[in-house]
Amino acid sequence: SHKLVQLLASTAE
Amino acid sequence: ILLSTVSPEQFVLTLLEAEPPNVLVSRPSKPFTEASMMMSLTKLADKELVHMIGWAKKIPGFVDLSLYDQVRLLESCWMEVLMIGLMWRSIDHPGKLIFAPDLVLDRDEGKCVEGILEIFDMLLAMTSRFRELKLQHKEYLCVKAMILLNSSEYAVASDRLSRSHDCLVPPCAVRPGPLTCFLFFVHSNKGMEHLLSMKCKNVVPVYDLLLEMLNAHTLRGQ
């Protein structure tokens, strides 16, 4: 789940 | 936030601040077809999922979990979180489902999409139950956070998360019975199966984050 991980890992809201 | 020093009221305030914004998805000008309704609903879900991740990250204790556990929790509960949000928006509108402020659907409009009327009826029935039980906003916030924290079928071990749990209990302790009911009402299986069948029949293209979340659910189910 690439996008989910990307969004979780990003610090920006 | 130092959870040990947080009062239930402060905790509810944190949940309030974590609330995602309203997502808009304009209703097509023509009457709905099966494809156009599914397109509107999946577009909305995809946008809401992005906000849901931002919401989850603001639930105390969540970001202390490993990335793996965070993924697991969200993959397990996303449809239920979407559904309880829809029910909350619809609570004061009997017979209508307020998917978005600009996407209000009547029960009968569910006839456009094969198999969705049954799900609309289930959602409307659950929403009426919430209405009868006079679900309060802070209770809604707590139940939604509980859905996230309880969602994994595996135990997620985190001291901070269990303290989050402890913080959720006092605001809900006033009416533990009805609130436990709320948790039982929200079941996503039918919605998930329906979306999967719409995708498999190519009624609607499912893409991006929604596709990932649906696939994660499908893979786990096998």
Side-chain angles (χ1 to χ4, degrees):
Chain A
S1 42
H2 183 67
K3 194 161 180 189
L4 175 59
V5 170
Q6 217 174 33
L7 286 165
L8 280 170
S10 75
T11 45
E13 285 307 326
Chain B
I1 304 168
L2 283 168
L3 280 172
S4 48
T5 63
V6 167
S7 68
E9 292 74 18
Q10 281 172 307
F11 195 85
V12 171
L13 209 63
T14 310
L15 297 183
L16 190 64
E17 283 162 5
E19 272 296 272
N22 267 330
V23 173
L24 298 176
V25 53
S26 57
R27 195 187 170 103
S29 48
K30 293 176 201 160
F32 274 118
T33 61
E34 184 171 58
S36 70
M37 183 180 286
M38 283 311 296
M39 185 63 98
S40 293
L41 296 180
T42 50
K43 247 196 224 168
L44 174 69
D46 194 56
K47 285 184 187 177
E48 279 195 88
L49 281 171
V50 175
H51 289 301
M52 192 190 295
I53 295 166
W55 161 77
K57 286 162 82 173
K58 291 181 199 147
I59 305 295
F62 186 81
V63 290
D64 298 326
L65 298 171
S66 67
L67 196 56
Y68 177 73
D69 282 337
Q70 293 179 25
V71 166
R72 224 164 45 169
L73 286 180
L74 278 165
E75 282 180 350
S76 311
C77 75
W78 64 273
M79 183 68 101
E80 288 169 9
V81 173
L82 288 182
M83 285 165 70
I84 197 174
L86 168 65
M87 290 179 225
W88 176 253
R89 291 193 293 273
S90 311
I91 199 162
D92 293 326
H93 306 272
K96 290 186 189 296
L97 291 170
I98 317 292
F99 282 94
D102 56 352
L103 187 67
V104 176
L105 298 186
D106 285 320
R107 184 250 175 209
D108 285 350
E109 288 184 276
K111 288 175 184 164
C112 301
V113 177
E114 190 190 345
I116 218 172
L117 194 60
E118 191 195 344
I119 296 167
F120 276 20
D121 281 339
M122 177 192 74
L123 290 165
L124 287 166
M126 291 195 288
T127 309
S128 327
R129 198 77 188 99
F130 279 15
R131 192 179 308 118
E132 285 160 19
L133 290 167
K134 297 188 167 52
L135 180 70
Q136 302 298 301
H137 190 232
K138 72 169 186 180
E139 292 173 334
Y140 157 72
L141 298 174
C142 291
V143 170
K144 196 164 64 161
M146 278 185 184
I147 289 175
L148 174 71
L149 303 181
N150 276 320
S151 64
S152 180
E153 56 242 77
Y154 313 98
V156 171
S158 154
D159 195 33
R160 289 248 312 180
L161 200 61
S162 58
R163 266 180 285 158
S164 272
H165 250 153
D166 295 345
C167 286
L168 281 169
V169 175
C172 296
V174 190
R175 311 196 292 153
L179 287 168
T180 317
C181 291
F182 294 140
L183 283 175
F184 284 121
F185 288 152
V186 186
H187 289 301
S188 62
N189 296 359
K190 283 204 171 132
M192 202 74 81
E193 281 164 24
H194 184 265
L195 180 58
L196 188 64
S197 85
M198 287 287 120
K199 183 200 148 211
C200 292
K201 289 183 197 162
N202 289 318
V203 174
V204 67
V206 179
Y207 42 83
D208 287 346
L209 189 52
L210 183 60
L211 178 63
E212 272 186 29
M213 300 304 255
L214 185 63
N215 283 343
H217 193 271
T218 317
L219 288 173
R220 232 203 347 270
Q222 281 165 357

